[in-house]
Every structure is written in structure tokens, then in C-alpha cells.
């Protein structure tokens, strides 16, 4: 039976069925989670888990699914940019920076501390135990904002003050993450004799150049696009296409030339168009493209990537502790940052919770670390568990954080929710 | 320079740039062709030619582009089904059958005749010259309707009487093509000693079963979907998703279980929803998905497939003649069929012209033929030329056919058009 399903799926037209299964299951699970007052994105994630190798193994990741899901997250961040009020963003800019810094420092330290308990013996051919343990902290720094963006959108809170702070902090978090990763891999290279200082300088230089590039291009495009679209009163399809092209090119340039995440480029592209007269029209059309094809594939693909590994008892214990540390350190770090910037207690907790989810970046960082001897292979399983659980728990946390009337009841609101 | 472009394109994020180039160029070329009073789809096809190996070689076909373009043509035919008036379709049903039959018989005979002049010597290891020449005729029978559908949509003529007749005839043409192909490959197998009669019977049986399956499933889905969507007054996203899932599953089943083209399955799925209260809403949403992503990729991918081959003088002559035969035989065959069914002269010519375009089916049939010794490899180039030219010429022919006031002026209207 399982073999005959595999035959169907690998047939020439299997991807039609793949796509049908993904669309159907993400919608059904999404409606189910909505029924129990949870965001639909939780259902979409669960659908991927059920379809993927972690459960029934019906759908495999193909090149097609990978590309569509990456375009999906690019479009998601582009529309997040479109919906952002730049004035509001500027106001929360400094706050976002502080939130991001504390949201990197606290998980970094906490990850290091917890890893130091378990990982104490030097291993031949690996970096020093100190660097290895810091590296576990580095993995915990990378927030994945897409889940939070989708959840806030669904709840209509994306343009709230806390929503703005989260998105700003997530973008900065991405930048800080690249720097921290470069520093530690350079340090590991330094142990082996090569000099890493030039690498770090190069990365920081590229990031600075990216922002100069992004600001100039965004301003220029904003001016030209608004002038061009202002010539007609009608909403024309060509506006949507040109905006899409701009979004894709900015995403590509960010990754290819500057080493910055493609979604950061897409977000900037969205920002560039956010104050124009066509922002609503664009948002509407990209929303349709998203919900009909890109988003379901993207959220399902996250679940599709999950393969649950075999683990020893010690590793299971480590996984549980690492998970708790991963969740609490972001809530505490980012929440503290927000509190320092005079956000209310309620908003501080919301911001902390919005930054909890880790995504594929954590997995990519982990693989890179394993490749250069910074991480033992047995720690992959705990990282996978952290990614999966924080991803699924974030929309649930946000749901309650934005619903509760009083911040004191957040912790216990789960029980009283209908 | 060319190498550095290739490096960019094959990078991890190259597909973002691929997609940007496709969207940008199809739109720009489309607007250019619109400026000179031609359908935008001509520009989109030209864009693919320019980007592909036939010209600059900037974009290669990847698994991603192949899948997106196939979903593109599936959605195109689904929306064609959605826009079809079933009552009108029933009225033109018999006419479509006659048009399709003559549209298969005339090109089959004409292709055989023209091939008989050039291909006269028996070759070892191949089927008899008679079968080889008939096979060239078989290749000419396969109409590719997607270009015509897009052109008629653009001109707002899809629901006209002639538009209905074309779509009906194209669907039947697809079925007849499968039967004819099976007959000739079985005959070739018969020459080599194996029995082909059972094959033909099997194919016909599967086709009959497909239509029984399609009618039952379409009626049942129509009933359930209308009942379900009737419970709410609002247009909900889930209706769009479920309709999409139905379309994909019908496409898959047509190909996988019955050997019928996926677009036929998609068309039936569209028909099943065409008379429902949500047809306009669905059409609108699928239209957005189409123009933002699927259609540009589909039409560009047609051009991307074109590789112009080296040819001898005799083959060039054959190509030109085959091209003329391919165009005229469909216009004469289908036009005659339409005339027999009491269409006006103008509508008969329109219908004939709408059936001229050949697509990838012709290439697939040719490859299959070459594989079983029914076609010499040197005939691939002429077939490619027929596919390319008929594809580009069809929207141009249709544009003039639907614009001219009098059928006598059709042939010369090119000169008088502004």
C-alpha cells in the first residue's frame, strides 16, 4: 500500500496531487484549529507534519515545493512591509534595536550555560568545548519571524505598536545573527590557525553596504513607481507585476550580493511601496496569490522538513531543557528590552512571545557549525525539537497574549479560554 | 560575461531572479504587442524565446518552472471551463465533434501526402515508409488549445458561439489524437510481430471510462459544492481552495488513471462549477493567481523549450511545406466541419484558425514515434518549427479574424489594420 502511494507520488504528474493534498490538509487543519480558537497557521503547520516523513510520509519535499515555499515567505514579508506604517516604524526603531540586542544576548548566554552542563569533555578534531557551548547559544539567537507575521495578520495586530516593534526587532535580529555567526566561525578558524578578523569586517561592511543600497534603491523606486502609477486612475495589472519583480530582485540581491536574508530584502521592497496610493490594491492582490498557493505550501513545507531522530536519554533531557531555555530566554530577553523602552507589561510579554519561534535558519546555522567542528552531530535532534516546538507554540502564545485583558492572567489564561 | 550570468542563475537563489525576469519580460513584451494591436500572449511567447536557448539563453527550464507552467495551463483550462456556458456547449456539442473529426482527418491526410514526397526509401530498423509518412500526419493532428483560450479571453470572445465550438472541438481533438496515436503505434508493433488490437481497445475503454467517471464526479461535486457554498452569503477563501483542490485532483486522475490530458480533467472540473453561484468569485480569484504567477511562467516556458536545430536544404524545404500544410489543413478541415454545421463563413474561418496552434503534445508524440522507429530523427527540426510558428501565428490570426467586419477581407486585413 505504502509502495503504491509512493509510485503515484513519483509519477510525472505527482506534483498535482502533492499540491492538492497540501492545499486540502492545510485548509482543513486550519479550520479545525480556528474552531478551537487557535490561529489557522497552527493547523497549516500541523498539516505539514502529518503529510511529511514525521508521520505518514505522503509528500516529499521537491525542488518545486522548495521554490514555491521560499517565494511564499518572500511574498509574506513583502506584504508585511506593505502593511507597515513607516512613521510608526521609525518611532519604534530604537526600541526594536534594543529588543533585538537583548533578544540575542540573553539566549546566547542561556544556551551557553545549559550546554556547559552537558558538554564538558574535549573531543579530538573539534573546536574547544568553550566555543562549542557558545555555539549552542548562537543557534538559539535566530528568530524566525514569518510565523509571527502570519499570526498577527490573521488577528489584525500586524500594524499595532507591538507588531511594529516585533518586525523591526526581527529584521535587526537577522543582521545580528549573521554577525554573531561570523564571529564564532572565525574564532573557530582562529583556533586552527587561520585569521578570522578580516571575515568579520567583511560581513559588517557588506551589511552596511546593503542598508545603503536598500535605502537608495527603495527611495528611487518609491518615487518612480508612485509617479508612474499616478498617471492612471485605474488599478492596472502591470502595477502588481512590476511590484512583484521589484520584490523578487530585492530578495535576490540581499542574499546574493550582501549575504543578508532574502526576506529582509523583500521586507524593504514592501516598505518602499507602503506609503503609495496603490498599497491597498497591491496588498489585496498579493494576499490572493498568497492564500491560494504560496502560503499553504510554505507553512506545510516547514512541517515536511521535520524528521524525528532517535535519541539517548541524556539527549532527551538536554532537548527538554534546551527547549525551555529557548522559549524563556527570548521572552525574557526581548520582553526586558521592550520594558526598558517603556512598553507596557502586556506589550513587553507580547513582543517577547512574538520572537520565540525559531525556523530553518537555526537548522542552517547548526549544519554549518557541524561542518566546521563547532557542533557534535548528536545535538541536531535537540535543535530540530526546539525549531518544531517553538514554531508551533508561538502562534498559540500570541493568541492568548493578545486576547487576555490583563498581563497577570497571561500565564493562566489557557485554562480559562473557551 | 556569459559565464558569470550562468553562475548567478545557478546560485541557490537563482530562481528568484528567473521568476523576476520572466514576469518582467512577459509583461513588457505583452504591452509592446498590445501597442501594435496584437494579443499580449504573443509578447509573452516572444519573451520566452528571447530569454531561452533560442536567443540569449538567460533562463533554463528547471523543475520549478516546469511544474508552475503545468499548473498554469491546468488553471487556464479550469477557468475556461468555469466561463463556459454548459447549455451553449451542449448546443454546439455535435458541431464540435464534426469539427474535431475533420480537423483530425484533413491534417492526417495532408501530412501523409507531403511526407510521401520527401520520404520514399525504406530504412533498416524502422517501420515501413507508409507508416512513417502516416505518422507525420498523426503529429499534425494534435491541436494545442491553451494559446487560443488565452487569446479569446483577452478579446472577450471565449463565451461566443465560435469560442464554445473551438473549446469543445479541442477537447474532442485531444481524445481523437490519443486514439490515432495508439492505432499507429499498435500497427508499427504489429509489423514487428506483436499484437496491437488489445492496446487500441484498452485505450478506447479507458477514454469511455474517463467520461463516465468525469460525468458522475462532476455532477456529484457540483451538487455538494453548491449546497455547501449556499449555506453562507459571504465569499469565503475556503471555497476557492476546495475548488482548486478539485481541479488538481481531476487533472491528476485524467492523466494517471485514464491516459487523458490533465487539461481535459481541469476543463471538466471547471465545467462542474460553471453554473454555480460562486462561479464569478472563483473566476476572479483564479484570474489573479493566473496573471500574477502561473500564466507568465506558462507562456514563457513555451518559448524556453525552443532550440533551433541545424538543418539541410532539403529539410528546410520540407519544414516550410509542412508548416504551410499544418496551418492550411487545420483551417480547411475545421472550417469545413464548421461550415457543414451551418456556422457562418466568418465563424467557420475563426474556428479553423483557433485550431491551428500545435503545442508540446506534437513534440511528445514525435519523441514517442522516434523511440519506436516511426520517425527519423531529422524530422524533429521541422516539427519544432511547426510548433513554434503555429503557436505564435494563431493569436495573430485570431485577432484579425475577430476584428474584420467581412469574411472576404480576412485574408488582406493585415495590411489595413492600424
Amino acid at each position: 500500500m505504502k509502495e503504491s502511494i509512493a509510485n503515484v507520488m513519483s509519477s510525472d504528474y505527482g506534483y498535482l496531487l502533492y499540491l492538492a493534498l497540501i492545499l486540502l490538509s492545510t485548509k482543513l487543519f486550519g479550520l479545525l484549529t480556528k474552531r478551537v480558537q487557535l490561529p489557522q497557521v497552527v493547523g497549516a503547520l500541523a498539516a505539514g507534519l502529518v503529510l511529511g516523513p514525521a508521520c505518514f510520509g505522503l509528500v516529499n519535499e521537491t525542488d518545486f515545493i522548495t521554490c514555491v515555499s521560499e517565494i511564499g515567505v518572500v511574498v509574506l514579508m513583502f506584504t508585511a512591509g506593505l502593511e507597515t506604517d513607516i512613521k510608526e516604524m521609525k518611532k519604534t526603531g530604537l526600541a526594536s534595536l534594543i529588543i533585538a540586542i537583548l533578544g540575542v544576548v540573553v539566549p546566547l548566554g542561556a544556551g551557553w550555560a545549559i550546554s556547559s552542563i552537558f558538554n564538558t569533555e574535549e573531543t579530538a578534531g573539534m573546536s574547544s568545548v568553550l566555543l562549542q557551548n557558545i555555539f549552542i547559544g548562537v543557534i538559539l539567537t535566530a528568530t524566525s519571524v514569518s510565523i509571527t507575521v502570519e499570526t498577527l495578520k490573521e488577528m489584525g495586530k500586524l500594524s499595532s505598536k507591538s507588531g511594529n516593534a516585533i518586525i523591526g526587532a526581527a529584521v535587526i535580529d537577522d543582521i545580528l545573527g549573521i554577525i554573531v555567526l561570523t564571529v564564532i566561525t572565525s574564532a573557530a578558524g582562529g583556533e586552527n590557525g587561520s585569521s578570522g578578523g578580516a571575515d568579520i569586517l567583511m560581513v559588517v561592511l557588506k551589511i552596511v553596504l546593503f542598508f545603503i543600497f536598500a535605502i537608495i534603491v527603495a527611495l528611487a523606486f518609491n518615487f518612480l513607481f508612485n509617479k508612474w502609477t499616478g498617471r492612471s486612475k485605474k488599478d492596472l495589472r502591470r502595477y502588481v507585476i512590476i511590484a512583484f519583480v521589484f520584490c523578487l530582485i530585492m530578495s535576490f540581491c540581499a542574499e546574493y550580493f550582501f549575504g543578508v536574508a532574502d526576506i529582509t530584502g523583500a521586507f524593504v521592497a514592501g516598505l518602499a511601496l507602503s506609503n503609495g496610493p496603490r498599497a491597498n490594491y497591491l496588498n489585496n492582490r498579493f494576499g490572493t496569490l498568497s492564500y491560494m498557493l504560496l502560503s499553504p505550501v510554505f507553512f506545510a513545507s516547514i512541517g515536511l522538513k521535520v524528521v524525528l531522530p532517535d535519541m539517548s536519554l541524556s539527549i532527551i533531557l538536554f532537548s527538554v531543557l534546551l527547549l525551555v531555555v529557548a522559549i524563556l530566554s527570548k521572552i525574557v530577553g526581548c520582553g526586558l528590552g521592550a520594558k526598558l523602552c517603556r512598553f507596557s507589561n502586556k506589550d513587553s510579554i507580547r513582543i517577547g512571545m512574538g520572537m520565540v519561534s525559531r525556523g530553518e535558519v537555526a537548522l542552517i546555522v547548526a549544519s554549518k557549525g557541524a561542518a566546521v567542528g563547532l557542533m557534535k552531530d548528536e545535538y541536531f535532534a535537540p535543535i530540530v525539537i526546539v525549531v518544531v516546538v517553538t514554531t508551533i507554540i508561538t502562534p498559540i502564545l500570541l493568541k492568548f497574549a493578545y486576547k487576555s485583558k490583563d498581563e497577570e492572567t497571561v500565564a493562566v489564561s489557557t485554562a480559562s479560554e473557551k
Side-chain angles (χ1 to χ4, degrees), chain A residues 221-231 272-273 275-277:
Chain A
F221 189 79
N222 176 279
F223 174 76
L224 292 172
F225 189 81
N226 288 346
K227 201 173 167 190
W228 175 53
T229 59
R231 289 192 304 191
L273 298 172
N275 67 345

Side-chain angles (χ1 to χ4, degrees), chain A residues 112-363:
Chain A
W112 175 12
I114 191 81
S115 178
S116 302
I117 303 172
F118 285 81
N119 186 32
T120 51
E121 278 174 47
E122 297 283 346
T123 318
M126 301 271 299
S127 301
S128 66
V129 164
L130 176 71
L131 282 182
Q132 284 183 41
N133 293 337
I134 295 177
F135 187 72
I136 296 290
V138 171
I139 296 173
L140 292 194
T141 63
T143 286
S144 163
V145 76
S146 54
I147 308 288
T148 299
V149 167
E150 180 69 15
T151 310
L152 293 178
K153 265 193 175 179
E154 215 181 310
M155 300 191 302
K157 304 286 184 191
L158 192 59
S159 310
S160 66
K161 202 182 157 201
S162 50
N164 268 311
I166 291 175
I167 297 178
V171 168
I172 300 168
D173 177 288
D174 174 52
I175 307 297
L176 294 178
I178 298 168
I179 297 176
V180 173
L181 178 65
T182 315
V183 171
I184 190 155
T185 46
S186 303
E191 280 189 346
N192 301 328
S194 73
S195 142
D199 282 2
I200 302 171
L201 208 70
M202 192 65 202
V203 164
V204 173
L205 182 70
K206 273 184 162 182
I207 290 171
V208 172
L209 283 177
F210 171 73
F211 280 99
I212 295 171
F213 163 83
I215 290 171
I216 294 173
V217 172
L219 286 175
F221 189 79
N222 176 279
F223 174 76
L224 292 172
F225 189 81
N226 288 346
K227 201 173 167 190
W228 175 53
T229 59
R231 289 192 304 191
S232 169
K233 278 186 184 159
K234 279 196 288 184
D235 285 329
L236 297 173
R237 288 181 171 189
R238 66 193 72 163
Y239 303 156
V240 180
I241 299 291
I242 295 303
F244 198 3
V245 169
F246 180 60
C247 158
L248 291 168
I249 290 179
M250 286 295 279
S251 309
F252 176 78
C253 290
E255 281 278 358
Y256 191 77
F257 296 110
F258 303 99
V260 174
D262 53 355
I263 57 174
T264 305
F267 180 72
V268 172
L271 276 184
L273 298 172
S274 64
N275 67 345
R278 307 290 173 180
N280 275 338
Y281 169 61
L282 293 176
N283 204 1
N284 181 298
R285 289 304 181 272
F286 279 95
T288 301
L289 178 66
S290 230
Y291 86 77
M292 282 185 75
L293 177 67
L294 302 179
S295 270
V297 174
F298 170 60
F299 290 111
S301 79
I302 295 176
L304 285 181
K305 287 198 189 94
V306 176
V307 185
L308 287 183
D310 293 330
M311 296 182 293
S312 69
L313 199 67
S314 149
I315 287 292
I316 291 176
L317 182 64
F318 178 65
S319 304
V320 173
L321 288 174
L322 192 67
L323 176 62
V324 173
V325 165
I327 294 172
L328 289 182
S329 63
K330 275 284 179 192
I331 296 181
V332 169
C334 297
L336 206 65
K339 194 66 202 153
L340 282 178
C341 301
R342 303 197 181 167
F343 278 85
S344 69
N345 288 345
K346 204 194 285 179
D347 270 350
S348 299
I349 290 180
R350 287 170 177 167
I351 291 170
M353 289 178 169
M355 302 285 284
V356 161
S357 84
R358 313 300 204 284
E360 68 278 13
V361 176
L363 298 175

